[in-house]
Amino acid sequence: MIMSTRPSIAVTVRLAMTAMKMTMLLSTTISVLLLLSAPCAFAQRAGQDASLVAKFQTALQQDGFSVHPGMVSTVDWAGMYCKGERPDAGYVNKAPYLMIQVPQSADPSAPVVEYFKLRPDEAIVLIGPTPPPVKYFGFNAFLGTRFYPDEPAGTQRRWLVATLGDAINNATIKTAGPTPFGTLAVIIFTPDRGTDASIRTALQRTGYPPAVVNTMVLPSSMLKLGESDTADELTLKMRIGLVEGSPERLDAYVRDAGTAVKVLRVTPTTTTAADPFPVPPLRVRGTGQGEMNLMGKVDELRAGIIAANPGMHATDILSMPVGYEGYDYIQRRTSPGADSRDNLFLAAGYIPQFGSSQRVALAEDEFLVVYGVNHVATGKASYASVNVYASEFAKLSIGQVFHDKFPGTAAPYLPAGDPAVSRLYAVKASRNCGDDPNCVPLRVDGCPVLTLEDDTAVGFFFRMYLEPATRAGAAMQEIVYDRAIKFSPRP
C-alpha cells in the first residue's frame, strides 16, 4: 500500500503545538538576552529616562507617599582644601567618591543636604546606572552624627561617620545585566519593611523588574530616628576604586552621575504603625586561610631592601589596623572616619587621629620604601592601594600607588627565582625620584596652601578592598601588615 504524504489531524496538531512552543521559547530567550545585555536597553531607558522615574513617583503618590528629589554630587575635598574652602583634605583616597544629597525633610522647600534625619517610616531611593568596570564600588550608609545628652554642653552632637552594617558592593548588588557594571540598579535605604514593600510594589507596577531592586536596611534598634533636635543624622556615600580599561569611561560616569542617578526621599503622607527591619546579619570576614606563611618572606624582603641601600640609615615604620568595624566605634562614641566593612585599613607613620603617632618627615635627600604582601595576588583583596599623606595639618595625599604596579617590584631584593616574588611588593617613594621607574613621586600639585618641607610630617594609609571569597573586607588576623622603611644618609 502506498502511504499518503498528507499528515493526519493529530500530527498537524502536534506540529502546531511544537511550533508554538518554539516560538514561545525563542521569544523568552530574546527577552532574557535583552534584559541581560549590559548596558542593556532597559537599563539605559530606566536609568536615564526621566519619564519612567516620573511614572514611579506618580505611582508612589497614588499609594499615599510624598516624593522629593535629591541629587548625587562628586566630592573633591583635596581641591576644596587647596582652595582654602576646607581646613584639611580628610585623608581621601585618590579615587572618586560620590555623595548622595538628600532633601533635609519632606517639606517641599527643604534644602538638599549631605547629612539628614529620617523618620522611622521613610526611605531614600536611588535609581540609575552602576559604574563602568572597576575593581570595586560600594554604597554605604553611615551614622553621621549623634547627640549625647550626657556630654558637656557644646560637645553633645558628635561626628561619627560610622558604617551601619555591610555595603552593597559590586559583588553583592542586584542589577539588570550579566555583570554589575554599567547597568541599572535600584537601592532602597529604609528602616521599615512596610515602606520597603510599598516602594517595591510601585517599582514593579512602573516597569522596574524586581531583579534590579536592592534594600539597605537602616537598623532602627541602633538608631535614634525622627526629626527632633536630638535625632541621629545619617549620610550615604559611594566609593569607586581602580577603573579597568579606559579611564575616560569612569570620568564620564562621575561627571554625569548628577543627572543619570536619581535620588528620591519617600515619605508616607499618613502615619502608620512602624514595621522595622531587624538588624541584618553581617557578612563574615575571613576564610581561615591567611598570609602568615609569608611573614618570614616579608622579613627577608626587609633585609634585602636594607642590603640594597648600603651606607643609609634605615628606620622601620610599622602599621596598625584602624576603622575596622563601625559598630565598635559607635559604641565607643569615636569616629572611624567613614570606615567600610568591605575594606581593611592600615595606618602608619604620623596619623595621630587614628592612634598612629610615629612622627616621620622626609627631607629631599631621604626616601621611603613601602613593602609587604600583595594582598590581591594572595586572593585576600580585589584592589589595594598605598597612600602617603602630608598628615599633620593638610591630610592631603602627596603620592599613591595601586596594586596593578606591584608585580615584579620585590624581585631586586630577593634571590633570583624565589617563588614568593609574585606575592610580594616593594615600591620606593621620594621627593626626588629621578628616572627610577619603581618610584612614586611625593609632591604637591596645584595646591598653593601647602608646600612640602623637610619637616613636613607624613603618614600612610594602606587600603585593601573586598576579599572575593567573602565579599567583605579581609580579616585583620589573616593579613600580614604592610610596612615601610625610611632611608636617611648617615651623618
Side-chain angles (χ1 to χ4, degrees):
M1 181 175 71
I2 300 176
M3 295 181 63
S4 171
T5 58
R6 183 179 180 182
S8 68
I9 294 176
V11 172
T12 301
V13 171
R14 285 198 299 270
L15 288 173
M17 292 180 65
T18 300
M20 184 180 298
K21 289 179 180 178
M22 290 296 292
T23 301
M24 293 174 63
L25 178 61
L26 180 61
S27 176
T28 301
T29 302
I30 292 173
S31 298
V32 171
L33 289 174
L34 286 173
L35 179 63
L36 295 181
S37 61
C40 68
F42 182 84
Q44 290 175 322
R45 177 171 61 87
Q48 301 173 14
D49 185 352
S51 66
L52 194 60
V53 177
K55 290 177 183 177
F56 169 56
Q57 292 179 258
T58 299
L60 285 172
Q61 290 163 353
Q62 291 171 344
D63 293 343
F65 292 89
S66 65
V67 184
H68 303 285
M71 62 181 292
V72 170
S73 64
T74 57
V75 61
D76 181 10
W77 285 0
M80 293 170 67
Y81 164 73
C82 291
K83 293 175 183 176
E85 298 171 358
R86 277 183 57 90
D88 58 65
Y91 292 122
V92 292
N93 198 3
K94 285 187 176 177
Y97 292 78
L98 296 180
M99 299 299 177
I100 299 165
Q101 307 277 354
V102 173
Q104 194 171 42
S105 71
D107 185 333
S109 63
V112 173
V113 294
E114 184 179 341
Y115 290 82
F116 61 95
K117 297 174 182 178
L118 198 73
R119 282 172 25 185
D121 57 355
E122 288 184 294
I124 309 300
V125 181
L126 268 65
I127 304 173
T130 57
V134 292
K135 289 296 184 183
Y136 173 80
F137 70 77
F139 295 87
N140 275 109
F142 297 90
L143 172 54
T145 74
R146 170 161 283 180
F147 184 88
Y148 296 98
D150 55 335
E151 296 289 348
T155 65
Q156 290 173 307
R157 185 164 290 276
R158 292 192 177 183
W159 290 95
L160 291 175
V161 198
T163 48
L164 294 168
D166 285 309
I168 293 176
N169 60 44
N170 54 283
T172 63
I173 195 167
K174 300 174 182 177
T175 67
T179 78
F181 306 112
T183 187
L184 173 71
V186 179
I187 303 178
I188 305 168
F189 300 85
T190 186
D192 193 77
R193 285 186 284 202
T195 298
D196 180 72
S198 296
I199 292 171
R200 285 174 173 267
T201 298
L203 284 165
Q204 189 168 1
R205 194 164 77 244
T206 306
Y208 292 92
V212 308
V213 183
N214 305 261
T215 296
M216 179 173 283
V217 173
L218 304 175
S220 293
S221 61
M222 294 177 56
L223 296 172
K224 302 171 185 176
L225 296 168
E227 300 172 321
S228 71
D229 291 342
T230 60
D232 291 336
E233 289 183 324
L234 310 177
T235 188
L236 311 174
K237 305 184 192 304
M238 181 188 184
R239 288 181 169 100
I240 307 173
L242 196 56
V243 67
E244 297 185 283
S246 169
E248 287 77 16
R249 293 180 64 188
L250 181 57
D251 292 342
Y253 176 83
V254 173
R255 183 186 66 242
D256 297 340
T259 54
V261 181
K262 306 301 181 183
V263 180
L264 303 172
R265 181 172 187 140
V266 179
T267 307
T269 53
T270 58
T271 304
T272 59
D275 185 15
F277 280 105
V279 178
L282 297 176
R283 292 193 288 273
V284 178
R285 290 181 185 254
T287 64
Q289 298 295 320
E291 299 174 339
M292 296 306 153
N293 59 326
L294 290 170
M295 185 173 283
K297 281 294 177 183
V298 173
D299 291 336
E300 289 181 36
L301 178 59
R302 172 188 177 275
I305 294 168
I306 292 173
N309 293 279
M312 302 290 285
H313 176 72
T315 302
D316 288 303
I317 304 168
L318 303 181
S319 62
M320 56 183 286
V322 297
Y324 192 63
E325 291 286 351
Y327 288 173
D328 164 53
Y329 281 78
I330 290 170
Q331 294 182 83
R332 292 193 283 120
R333 302 187 181 186
T334 303
S335 174
D339 62 300
S340 172
R341 296 202 76 254
D342 286 346
N343 185 23
L344 175 59
F345 294 92
L346 301 175
Y350 191 71
I351 306 186
Q353 298 90 338
F354 291 92
S356 182
S357 55
Q358 183 179 2
R359 192 171 184 92
V360 178
L362 203 65
E364 290 203 21
D365 59 352
E366 298 175 316
F367 63 90
L368 303 163
V369 176
V370 291
Y371 69 100
V373 173
N374 180 346
H375 308 295
V376 175
T378 63
K380 304 306 286 184
S382 299
Y383 133 70
S385 68
V386 182
N387 261 288
V388 183
Y389 292 89
S391 55
E392 187 166 15
F393 304 110
K395 303 178 179 58
L396 177 72
S397 177
I398 57 174
Q400 175 178 260
V401 61
F402 289 101
H403 73 266
D404 60 334
K405 305 299 183 185
F406 289 171
T409 56
Y413 308 110
L414 291 172
D418 192 320
V421 164
S422 64
R423 294 178 290 167
L424 302 174
Y425 78 96
V427 178
K428 183 178 178 181
S430 173
R431 292 170 63 188
N432 291 295
C433 281
D435 297 328
D436 189 342
N438 185 35
C439 181
V440 177
L442 302 180
R443 63 192 183 204
V444 178
D445 295 323
C447 191
V449 299
L450 177 65
T451 302
L452 291 184
E453 305 288 354
D454 288 356
D455 62 350
T456 300
V458 297
F460 311 80
F461 271 118
F462 302 91
R463 293 172 170 91
M464 58 202 82
Y465 274 90
L466 207 60
E467 183 172 7
T470 62
R471 304 183 300 172
M476 63 183 182
Q477 68 271 20
E478 295 179 2
I479 294 298
V480 175
Y481 298 167
D482 302 64
R483 312 174 190 173
I485 305 172
K486 173 184 171 180
F487 287 96
S488 309
R490 291 187 182 276

